[in-house]
Amino acid sequence: MQPQKLERRVERLEQRVTRLEELPGRIDGLESQIVQLRTEMHGGFSAIREQMQAGDEAIREEMRAGHEAIREEMHAGDEVIRREMRESFGALTGEMGRLHEELKSQMLMLHEDTTAKFALFREAFPTDAAPTDTTPKGRRRRR
């Protein structure tokens, strides 16, 4: 072997050994960084978990408030519908009463008209068996 090559090989070997000697310190530094990363991640995950729990509670509270608001709105709507139905029922009852009175009046007019026509018919064609009083016996007229 040539001396120059041997020197060169020894230099390379020394460089390698120097780098290998540095490895434990670098590994220790890496280990402390990993431990620090684990600690930070654990703290971060704990913070996220707490925020999620707080967020869940906030969402639940919002849902409760929304549910209560909807219930109140439905109750108010129910009251409005009931009031409108009572008003409509009152108007309908009044209209039915008016129509009933109108129908009674028309029926009375028709009855009187028919009675008058029968009276004219009896005058035009008299018979001995026909009664002169056209009011039915035993019935009273309504007022």
Side-chain angles (χ1 to χ4, degrees):
M1 288 201 147
Q2 296 178 2
Q4 216 175 20
K5 277 190 166 188
L6 185 62
E7 283 180 25
R8 179 79 184 135
R9 286 179 69 193
V10 170
E11 280 179 24
R12 278 194 220 158
L13 188 58
E14 285 177 352
Q15 288 174 355
R16 282 184 181 170
V17 170
T18 303
R19 281 188 289 193
L20 286 174
E21 287 174 345
E22 293 173 357
L23 276 178
R26 290 176 65 189
I27 290 175
D28 288 343
L30 185 60
E31 182 182 3
S32 68
Q33 288 178 355
I34 290 172
V35 169
Q36 182 181 358
L37 177 64
R38 285 183 65 196
T39 304
E40 288 174 5
M41 288 178 69
H42 179 72
F45 288 141
S46 294
I48 289 171
R49 189 177 309 114
E50 289 172 8
Q51 287 177 348
M52 287 177 64
Q53 288 173 348
D56 286 350
E57 187 57 37
I59 290 171
R60 282 190 197 101
E61 188 57 38
E62 276 185 47
M63 288 177 70
R64 276 188 219 106
H67 178 72
E68 187 60 31
I70 289 170
R71 286 185 63 178
E72 289 174 6
E73 193 173 322
M74 287 175 64
H75 182 69
D78 187 41
E79 287 300 317
V80 168
I81 289 171
R82 287 176 190 267
R83 182 175 27 87
E84 287 176 0
M85 287 177 64
R86 281 192 296 270
E87 290 169 2
S88 295
F89 182 74
L92 182 62
T93 303
E95 181 69 11
M96 287 174 61
R98 186 189 65 75
L99 290 173
H100 176 72
E101 291 301 319
E102 186 178 314
L103 183 61
K104 273 180 30 181
S105 173
Q106 289 176 0
M107 288 176 66
L108 182 60
M109 285 178 11
L110 287 173
H111 174 71
E112 289 172 353
D113 187 45
T114 303
T115 303
K117 287 182 182 178
F118 273 124
L120 287 173
F121 183 73
R122 283 192 188 105
E123 285 178 14
F125 303 101
T127 62
D128 292 337
T132 56
D133 184 17
T134 59
T135 305
K137 303 283 188 224
R139 291 182 67 191
R140 300 174 113 192
R141 273 198 168 170
R142 292 186 183 175
R143 295 183 189 189

